[in-house]
Amino acid sequence: MDNAKKHELTQEKVWDKIALPWNKFKKEPMKDVLLFLKNKKGKILDVCCGAGRHFKKIKCVEWYGIDFSQKMLFYAKKGAKKEKVNCVLKKAEASQLPFENNFFDAALFAAGLHCIDNAKKREKSIEELFRVLKP
C-alpha cells in the first residue's frame, strides 16, 4: 500500500475520529424519528446508527444497529447499556446488510445516506434496506 493510500481520509476514519465529540453533541433522537417509532413493535433496524441516539431513549421489542464506524458502535453499546436497552450491534456497510430477507418490522435510515461514498453504494443501500424489511 502506498503512503498516500495509507493516509487517505475515508468516511470510516472521519467518524472514528469524531466519535467521542459526536456522541456528546448528538444525544437526542430526531423528532421525526420519535413520531415514526411511536407504537412500533418487533425488530427495528437503525442503519448508520452512529452512537445509538435513537435507541437509547426508545425501548422497542428488539433493537438492531449497524454502522461502519467501530468507535461509534462502542458509544452505541455504552449508551444502550446505560439506558438498559437490549440491542444487537454490528459493524457493517449499509450496502451489505448482514441480515436475512424480510427480517425487520421497521427500520430507520436517518442522516446516514450522505456518508456513503458513492452513488452505486447509496443505491445498493436502499435496495438492501427493502430486502431486509418485511413487506
Side-chain angles (χ1 to χ4, degrees):
M1 179 184 297
D2 67 26
N3 207 21
K5 272 279 196 213
K6 193 165 120 178
H7 295 292
E8 183 179 318
L9 198 55
T10 64
Q11 283 287 335
E12 181 179 358
K13 288 177 184 176
V14 168
W15 287 102
D16 279 349
K17 186 174 183 170
I18 67 170
L20 177 59
W22 189 263
N23 181 50
K24 290 179 181 180
F25 174 68
K26 290 285 187 180
K27 288 285 189 192
E28 297 302 315
M30 296 175 180
K31 290 178 185 176
D32 289 340
V33 168
L34 292 175
L35 289 172
F36 172 76
L37 290 171
K38 190 175 182 174
N39 301 319
K40 292 283 190 262
K41 302 263 188 254
K43 296 175 186 153
I44 312 296
L45 173 63
D46 190 349
V47 179
C48 301
C49 68
R53 66 178 163 158
H54 294 115
F55 53 77
K56 287 182 187 179
K57 306 288 184 189
I58 303 160
K59 294 174 173 124
C60 293
V61 176
E62 293 181 60
W63 266 113
Y64 292 76
I66 67 108
D67 203 281
F68 56 60
S69 168
Q70 191 66 48
K71 289 191 180 179
M72 291 300 265
L73 290 170
F74 168 82
Y75 291 110
K77 183 178 181 179
K78 190 174 175 180
K81 185 176 179 180
K82 180 181 175 186
E83 296 291 329
K84 296 183 176 133
V85 173
N86 289 327
C87 62
V88 175
L89 298 170
K90 295 184 180 214
K91 184 177 188 297
E93 297 286 334
S95 60
Q96 297 177 342
L97 296 176
F99 303 104
E100 297 174 18
N101 295 349
N102 307 314
F103 189 75
F104 294 102
D105 298 289
L108 307 174
F109 199 164
L113 192 60
H114 66 282
C115 294
I116 298 170
D117 62 6
N118 68 59
K120 189 172 183 168
K121 281 186 181 177
R122 287 189 290 274
E123 187 174 325
K124 181 66 175 157
S125 297
I126 299 297
E127 289 171 4
E128 280 289 279
L129 182 60
F130 280 100
R131 180 186 65 77
V132 300
L133 279 170
K134 292 177 183 175

